[in-house]
Amino acid sequence: MKLRKSSAAIATGLVLSLALTACGGDSDDKGGGKIAIGIKFDQPGVGLKTPDGKYVGFDVDVATYVAKELGYDAKDIEWKQTPSAQRETMIANGDVKFIAASYSINDERKQKVSFAGPYFLAHQDLLVRADDTSITEPSSLNSKKLCSVVGSTSAQNVKEKLAPKANLQEQGGYSECLTGLENKAVDALTTDDSILAGFAAQKQHQGKFKLVGLRLSDERYGIGLKKGDTKLQGDINKALEKMKSDGSWEKFVKANFGPANYKNEPAPEITEKG
C-alpha cells in the first residue's frame, strides 16, 4: 500500500514538473506572454504618457520595434515609468526587462547594468525663455538658477565642470523644471537637446522657449538591461541594426523630432557588446 502511494506521488510530481516546464521554458528569450519595458512618461518627443493614456515618442517607437523583434506584440507591452534616479534599481529588481528612457551610457552606470546600442546620439544643451539674451554659454549660468532632474548626468556636468557657481535645483521630472522656467522661478533647464526640443515643440509652449544651441556633451542613448545578460544584449543589438537598415530609425526620428526642426546626428554605431 505504501509503495503504491509513493509511486503515485512520484508520478504526480513528474507530471507537474513536465507541465511547468512546458508552460515556462525559455519564453523570456523567445517572446510570448507580457513584457515590462521602462520608459519616461514626461518627455515629449522621447517618452510621454498622454492624457488619454497612450504612450508616444522616439524611445517608445524604438522599444516597440525591439520588443517585436524579441517576439512580443505591441499589446503585450506593459509600459513602466522609470525616473532617472530609479533606472538601475528597477533593472536589478527585475521590474522591467529593459529600459529605453533617454538612458545615457556611461562607465558609472555600466558598473550596475549592461547596455545594448547606442541607438541615438544627443547633446546636452540649455533651454531658456525666448526673450532671454543673458545666457549664451555655460559660464553664463554662474549665479543663475538652473533646473534639472534628480539623477541626471546633465545637472552634475554643469555643476562640476561648466558652471560651478550655478544654483542647481533638482526636481523629480522635467515638467516641474519647465513650469519653473515659465514662471521665472528658474533661469534655465538643462538636459539633452532631443528632450528640450520635444518640450519646445509642444503646441502650448511654442514661442515661449528656445534652445541656446550648445553641445555640452555627447549623450549616447542605450537600452539598459540586467548586467551580464549577453544573450538579451545581443538580441537587442540585432533588432537595433535591423531598425537602422530597414529605414525605421529614420522614420521614427522624423515623426518625433521633425516638428521641432531638430537637427539630429546620424544613427550611431553599436558599440556595447558582450
Side-chain angles (χ1 to χ4, degrees), residues 1-10:
M1 190 70 176
K2 288 182 180 179
L3 185 59
R4 284 180 192 161
K5 286 184 178 179
S6 177
S7 299
I10 292 171

Side-chain angles (χ1 to χ4, degrees), residues 40 42-43 81 83-86 145-153 155-156 167-181 183 185-191 199:
K40 290 295 181 69
D42 64 345
Q43 294 180 352
Q81 185 174 18
S84 296
Q86 296 177 23
K145 294 178 181 177
L146 174 69
C147 193
S148 194
V149 299
V150 176
S152 77
T153 55
Q156 298 309 315
N167 180 2
L168 178 62
Q169 300 182 14
E170 295 180 285
Q171 299 290 345
Y174 291 108
S175 54
E176 292 95 322
C177 285
L178 202 69
T179 300
L181 183 60
N183 296 337
V186 298
D187 301 301
L189 161 58
T190 187
T191 187
F199 278 119

